[in-house]
Amino acid sequence: MSPVLRVELRDRIAVLTLDRPGQLNAVGSETVDRLTQALNDVRDNDDVRALVVTGAGRAFSSGADLGEIESFTTPGQFRAFVGRLTEAYALLVDFPKPSVAAVHGFAFGGGLELALACDLRVAERGTRLGLPEMKLGVLPGAGGTQRLPRLLPTAIAKEMILTGEPIDAERAWQLGLVNEVTEPGGALAAAEALAARLAAGAPLALAAGKRLVDHGLGMDLEAAIGYERETVAVLFCTEDRIEGLKAFRERRPGDFRGV
């Protein structure tokens, strides 16, 4: 049986590929377990500096596995499933290494929520992104109602959540949800190129930069600036900061070691 999620190491990048093309990469319990394990493994691999998340076949992901959900007989089973999905996506949000979603075809429901859990997103022209749960009489349950309004204007996020209608990659780029739009077939290469640029940075500074943005958004401005000041002071004491200044003076890329 082929894995539901493949992990490939390419230079300093780990490419995580949802690999259920026959099911349009629907996210079920097995995928959640593999994603959690993969993230834990990559976290401990010092040779990996950035992640790319993508999907095999003609779509990024159709969302949560409806076949599995339909097998549930109690609300508790569904609650447990959503809890595991939410925890896996939270690992990605809090991951110390930056992540890029390479989206093609469509990313719906839990698939879009996975892309939202990544730091950056690249999408192919014509890709559709949406949270269609309202059309099934429910709502997104793995962060969609909370992460989407933090990335889009509130009214646009409400429109997507309350109507269940998707937007295309071009509009997503105009709204700032997607960082780059490529021609069909180009999302993975573009995401890997972007991840390579991220991987060239100092690991401690990359992790700190993610924390400053994500946590600072939940603080008042004065507290957030204080948090920034203390974080930068800690980074000043690292060997990578010394290497960065030396590399700048010598007009060469920095050889950062994460210390």
Side-chain angles (χ1 to χ4, degrees):
M1 182 180 295
S2 62
V4 297
L5 185 140
R6 289 184 283 111
V7 180
E8 301 168 88
L9 304 183
R10 304 176 186 175
D11 196 7
R12 292 183 292 184
I13 301 167
V15 180
L16 279 56
T17 304
L18 301 176
D19 197 13
R20 299 182 71 198
Q23 293 75 37
L24 298 174
N25 298 319
V27 180
S29 294
E30 188 179 357
T31 302
V32 172
D33 291 343
R34 284 282 294 133
L35 177 61
T36 299
Q37 183 61 56
L39 290 174
N40 287 330
D41 290 345
V42 170
R43 176 187 289 269
D44 297 331
N45 188 338
D46 293 336
D47 292 331
V48 175
R49 300 287 182 86
L51 309 179
V52 170
V53 181
T54 190
R58 63 187 183 92
F60 180 78
S61 174
S62 60
D65 189 337
L66 293 181
E68 181 174 351
I69 290 173
E70 288 173 352
S71 72
F72 299 152
T73 57
T74 68
Q77 289 176 306
F78 179 70
R79 185 181 298 110
F81 173 79
V82 172
R84 292 168 62 195
L85 191 61
T86 302
E87 289 171 3
Y89 291 179
L91 278 179
L92 187 55
V93 170
D94 295 333
F95 206 66
K97 303 170 186 183
S99 56
V100 184
V103 186
H104 69 288
F106 48 82
F108 290 155
L112 178 57
E113 288 173 313
L114 174 58
L116 296 177
C118 294
D119 297 300
L120 307 174
R121 284 154 292 280
V122 174
E124 295 176 8
R125 193 174 305 281
T127 296
R128 293 180 297 155
L129 305 96
L131 297 171
E133 285 85 350
M134 178 61 70
K135 296 184 177 182
L136 300 176
V138 291
L139 287 169
T145 67
Q146 300 307 306
R147 293 196 177 102
L148 193 66
R150 287 167 167 78
L151 294 168
L152 289 179
T154 303
I156 301 298
K158 283 183 177 179
E159 180 182 359
M160 291 180 64
I161 293 165
L162 299 181
T163 67
E165 295 293 333
I167 61 174
D168 62 23
E170 292 85 346
R171 189 176 185 212
W173 177 78
Q174 293 169 351
L175 293 167
L177 181 61
V178 166
N179 297 83
E180 181 179 350
V181 175
T182 75
E183 293 303 318
L188 181 56
E192 289 185 6
L194 180 53
R197 287 162 51 199
L198 295 169
L204 295 177
L206 286 170
K210 283 191 58 169
R211 290 196 306 271
L212 280 172
V213 173
D214 292 340
H215 296 176
L217 286 171
M219 302 178 180
D220 66 70
L221 183 59
E222 183 177 358
I225 289 175
Y227 178 37
E228 177 189 71
R229 181 173 58 248
E230 295 304 314
T231 300
V232 172
V234 171
L235 292 174
F236 184 83
C237 301
T238 64
E239 293 181 20
D240 277 352
R241 194 275 307 175
I242 297 172
E243 162 61 14
L245 181 58
K246 183 178 180 182
F248 177 77
R249 288 175 171 168
E250 296 175 358
R251 298 183 179 181
R252 60 171 175 81
D255 181 16
F256 299 117
R257 305 298 176 87
V259 291

